[in-house]
């Protein structure tokens, strides 16, 4: 029964729209747009965290500039588009991929 409930919840989480800031191109701050996106399917080695606090650092600004910024010298480090800035955050583990060690992380754990 628990597996059936988890599968139902997991499917609902995957199809649930969320809002994210997304850049479809590199450039000025105006390339950043708040829009609804769907959660991607969770890969076996990934953890889904419900973010309660998120941070954007200067490096995100440099990435947003693309080839016009400091990353022009190392373009292989630029993200694929569309891109969502912000790599720092804190929240609660919402789901674990099947290969994640449950001895280290658990659903509901604050990270």
């Amino acid at each position: 029964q628990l597996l059936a409930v988890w599968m139902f919840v997991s499917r609902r989480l995957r199809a649930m729209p969320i809002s994210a800031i997304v850049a479809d191109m590199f450039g000025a701050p105006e390339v950043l747009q708040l829009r609804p996106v769907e959660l991607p399917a969770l890969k076996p080695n990934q953890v889904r965290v419900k973010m309660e606090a998120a941070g954007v650092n200067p490096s995100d600004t440099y990435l947003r500039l693309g080839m016009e910024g400091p990353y022009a010298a190392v373009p292989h480090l630029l993200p694929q588009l569309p891109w969502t800035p912000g790599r720092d955050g804190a929240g609660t583990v919402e789901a674990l991929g099947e290969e994640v060690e449950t001895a280290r992380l658990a659903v509901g754990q604050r990270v």
Side-chain angles (χ1 to χ4, degrees):
Q1 267 185 340
L2 185 58
L3 179 59
V5 169
W6 168 247
M7 289 173 63
F8 173 76
V9 170
S10 179
R11 276 192 221 113
R12 298 246 350 219
L13 283 174
R14 252 182 275 156
M16 191 169 87
I18 60 171
S19 293
I21 294 175
V22 179
D24 289 316
M25 64 178 69
F26 297 115
E30 293 77 22
V31 302
L32 301 172
Q33 302 292 318
L34 179 64
R35 67 174 189 230
V37 297
E38 288 202 13
L39 286 171
L42 195 62
K43 294 180 181 174
N45 62 344
Q46 291 181 330
V47 175
R48 177 167 292 132
V49 176
K50 180 178 182 183
M51 299 301 287
E52 296 166 20
V56 177
N57 291 309
S59 63
D60 293 305
T61 300
Y62 304 145
L63 289 170
R64 176 187 44 79
L65 292 170
M67 293 299 287
E68 302 299 318
Y71 281 87
V74 284
H76 63 282
L77 296 178
L78 289 172
Q80 289 185 326
L81 297 173
W83 169 68
T84 298
R87 300 188 192 280
D88 296 340
T92 305
V93 175
E94 199 169 67
L96 300 172
E98 59 195 33
E99 294 176 7
V100 175
E101 294 180 35
T102 55
R104 298 183 71 187
L105 288 171
V107 172
Q109 181 178 344
R110 293 186 47 78
V111 292

